[in-house]
Amino acid sequence: MASADQGDASGRLTLRSPAFDDGTAIPREYGYTKQNISPPLEIEGVPAEAKSLALVMDDPDAMKPAGQVWDHWTVWNIDPGTSEIAEGDSPPGAVEGTNSYGSRGYGGPNPPDGEHAYRFVLYALDTELSLESGATKSHLERAIDGHVLGEARLTGTYAP
């Protein structure tokens, strides 16, 4: 599968999924009203100095129907040695935040008005975070400010 934004041949941080290529459709089973399980993800090129990783999945296309970017998954304090996140799993030892559905953990795509693009953004950080479980994406964004060593993106689309 294709990596997003940065190629692994360059030694940079990459995020990909064996379930879909960057810019293509996310399989139906990962949708909120389907199986609502997270897709498998693969990570490469984590900087040696990274102390933790953080992952965000959101839907910027939700601004029109929902009036906000919809947050689907926020995870932090992922071990920097992690090379994959299994389908339907949270990384061992990681902490999950509250999504825009109001629950902790993954909440799959559920666009109300046609196809939306969903961003998975992985951050390599120079620190572990002291955020409480259940914190929101905005809390995470404030906590990682000034601590990002690298960033990788993977985008998938999903239609109702």
Side-chain angles (χ1 to χ4, degrees):
M1 295 288 155
S3 62
D5 279 359
Q6 304 165 5
D8 49 86
S10 67
R12 293 188 195 172
L13 185 62
T14 60
L15 179 64
R16 56 181 91 153
S17 178
F20 64 97
D21 285 321
D22 186 47
T24 66
I26 297 170
R28 305 294 298 160
E29 64 262 28
Y30 303 114
Y32 188 72
T33 61
K34 303 300 181 191
Q35 293 180 26
N36 197 34
I37 56 172
S38 58
L41 299 171
E42 297 173 345
I43 300 166
E44 292 182 1
V46 175
E49 61 274 22
K51 302 286 190 247
S52 71
L53 303 172
L55 176 69
V56 170
M57 176 193 172
D58 64 16
D59 173 7
D61 293 335
M63 278 303 292
K64 185 176 180 187
Q68 66 182 40
V69 172
W70 198 265
D71 302 326
H72 289 267
W73 199 18
T74 306
V75 189
W76 60 91
N77 289 348
I78 301 168
D79 185 308
T82 300
S83 60
E84 64 182 24
I85 300 172
E87 177 183 81
D89 249 347
S90 180
V95 183
E96 291 183 304
T98 300
N99 59 43
S100 292
Y101 295 114
S103 60
R104 282 191 198 154
Y106 178 83
N110 191 25
D113 63 342
E115 184 176 275
H116 284 204
Y118 294 83
R119 301 180 294 201
F120 293 79
V121 184
L122 179 71
Y123 301 95
L125 306 174
D126 66 2
T127 188
E128 285 192 16
L129 303 175
S130 59
L131 287 173
E132 296 282 327
S133 175
T136 64
K137 182 181 83 173
S138 62
H139 293 118
L140 176 66
E141 289 172 337
R142 285 192 297 274
I144 69 173
D145 187 37
H147 296 286
V148 177
L149 300 170
E151 179 180 315
R153 292 175 183 253
L154 173 66
T155 302
T157 60
Y158 196 91

